[in-house]
Structure formats: structure tokens, C-alpha cells
């Protein structure tokens, strides 16, 4: 419990597939470093994860971990194990698989990290959003954060344009704007750009 280990591309290239899989357990939360934000997924075994994405709409998908990470560093990060008791791995995997298909997705109130923590602990939480809110409150004040969160919580692509416009007006943190833009663009566009 409480496992948090980093695995880089060089680590993966030098270890066998079977060795890599021994370090991951079904029900583990996988945190993938995307630069300005982290993407989260639930490991279900056999190098597969279930994760929430935005591709013009919210969707829970089942994909190969190697495809989702697309060369980015990742780690097992069951960071809430000390706060909440993790559910049984069989329950985590079964529920994650049952959620595959269309899903709600809101950058601030229900994103990939909310989904992953809900599967493992039964409670949706996002440390990224919490950290952003604390930082934003310190730099812009509570009123600006409340307005920005309200706009983002509306959801959908139109709200993202409003968020981007609001960024210049209320000194909106660049990290959330980047999350919103990458979310709207979708992971596939980011993947294609990296491959070029």
C-alpha cells in the first residue's frame, strides 16, 4: 500500500516485459507525466489501463499502458492509501471496466484523476485541481478562482474558450489553461505531434 515508484522510458527499455509487469498490480493508480499536468489511469493487468479522456466528449477507455503513456514517464502512485482504505483490486478492476464508454468529464470537477481515485477508493479526488485552487487563490484571490472554476465546471469546448480568455484577465494559472487546451485537443493530437 502507498506505493509510489517512478519508471522512465530508459528503465522500460532495459527491463524485460515480464519484469515490468511484476511492479504493477491490478488496481494501482498510474500517474503519467505530461509536462504541465499529469494524466491518471487505473492499471487492470496485462499492460492495460482504464482511463478517462476527453476527445470532444468524455470517454472512459481501455488501452495498453504503452499507448497511453506514449513514451512519457509514469509511476504507480497510490497516494491516498494512507487517507482511505483501497478497495479490493478485483472490485477496482471490475468497476473500471464497467465504466468503459461515454462519461462525464469536467476539467475541475471530474477529470482523469477524479476517475482513477474514485475507482481505487470509492471517492473522486484530484490533487492537481486542489493544488491549482490553493495556488490560484493565493495569486488571484478567492473571487477570481470562484469565477474561473464556475466557467470550467460548465464543461464542453465552448467553456474552454471562455477560460482561455479569462486567463489574461484574472491571471489565471497557465497550468489549468494548458490542461483545458490539451483536454480539448485530445490525447491523440498530442500523440501525433510527438511522433512527427
Amino acid at each position: 500500500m502507498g506505493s509510489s515508484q517512478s519508471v522512465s522510458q530508459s528503465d522500460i527499455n532495459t527491463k524485460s516485459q515480464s519484469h515490468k509487469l511484476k511492479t504493477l498490480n491490478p488496481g494501482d493508480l498510474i500517474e503519467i507525466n505530461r509536462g504541465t499536468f499529469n494524466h491518471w489511469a487505473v492499471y487492470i493487468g496485462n499492460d492495460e489501463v482504464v482511463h478517462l479522456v476527453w476527445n470532444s466528449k468524455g470517454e472512459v477507455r481501455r488501452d495498453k499502458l504503452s499507448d497511453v503513456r506514449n513514451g512519457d514517464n509514469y509511476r504507480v502512485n497510490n497516494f491516498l492509501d494512507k487517507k482511505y482504505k483501497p478497495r479490493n483490486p478485483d472490485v477496482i478492476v471490475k468497476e473500471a471496466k464497467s465504466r468503459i464508454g461515454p462519461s462525464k468529464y469536467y476539467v475541475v470537477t471530474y477529470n482523469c484523476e477524479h476517475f482513477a481515485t474514485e475507482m481505487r477508493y470509492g471517492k473522486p479526488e484530484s490533487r492537481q485541481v486542489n493544488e491549482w485552487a490553493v495556488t490560484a487563490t493565493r495569486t488571484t484571490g478567492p473571487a477570481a478562482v470562484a469565477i474561473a472554476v464556475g466557467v470550467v465546471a460548465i464543461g464542453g469546448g465552448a467553456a474552454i474558450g471562455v477560460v482561455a480568455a479569462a486567463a489574461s484577465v484574472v491571471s489565471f494559472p497557465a497550468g489549468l489553461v494548458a490542461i483545458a487546451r490539451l483536454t480539448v485537443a485530445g490525447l491523440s493530437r498530442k500523440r501525433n505531434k510527438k511522433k512527427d
Side-chain angles (χ1 to χ4, degrees), residues 4-193:
S4 181
Q5 63 193 52
S6 291
V7 180
S8 69
Q9 182 63 44
S10 62
D11 290 337
I12 291 166
N13 290 340
T14 59
K15 294 178 182 175
S16 71
Q17 179 76 0
S18 61
H19 179 74
K20 184 181 94 172
L21 293 179
K22 288 180 185 175
T23 64
L24 302 173
N25 297 305
D28 279 342
L29 301 186
I30 306 298
E31 181 181 22
I32 303 163
N33 184 330
R34 298 279 194 228
T36 16
F37 71 100
N38 293 325
H39 182 63
W40 290 79
V42 177
Y43 187 73
I44 61 169
N46 297 320
D47 194 40
E48 290 187 313
V49 295
V50 175
H51 59 125
L52 176 60
V53 299
W54 174 266
N55 289 322
S56 76
K57 61 180 174 45
E59 179 183 12
V60 174
R61 295 178 41 165
R62 177 182 185 165
D63 291 304
K64 290 286 187 187
L65 174 58
S66 54
D67 292 340
V68 174
R69 57 178 289 275
N70 192 39
D72 291 333
N73 290 338
Y74 74 99
R75 67 181 180 156
V76 172
N77 189 354
N78 300 321
F79 69 103
L80 291 174
D81 279 6
K82 291 180 181 173
K83 185 175 180 181
Y84 303 119
K85 181 180 182 195
R87 300 187 315 166
N88 179 297
D90 293 335
V91 171
I92 297 168
V93 170
K94 183 178 179 181
E95 184 166 348
K97 287 178 179 179
S98 77
R99 301 278 294 275
I100 293 170
S103 175
K104 64 183 177 180
Y105 187 104
Y106 305 103
V107 173
V108 174
T109 59
Y110 199 79
N111 61 43
C112 57
E113 186 176 3
H114 288 102
F115 170 79
T117 57
E118 182 180 25
M119 295 303 100
R120 184 164 177 89
Y121 307 106
K123 299 174 188 322
E125 286 193 23
S126 175
R127 183 182 56 196
Q128 291 179 105
V129 170
N130 294 343
E131 288 173 0
W132 168 81
V134 168
T135 302
T137 301
R138 287 183 188 146
T139 58
T140 63
V145 173
I147 291 166
V149 168
V151 170
V152 175
I154 292 168
I160 301 305
V162 175
V163 169
S168 59
V169 176
V170 297
S171 301
F172 208 55
L176 186 60
V177 173
I179 292 170
R181 287 181 180 152
L182 285 172
T183 300
V184 169
L187 293 174
S188 60
R189 214 182 269 170
K190 183 178 186 310
R191 279 190 203 130
N192 291 338
K193 188 176 181 182

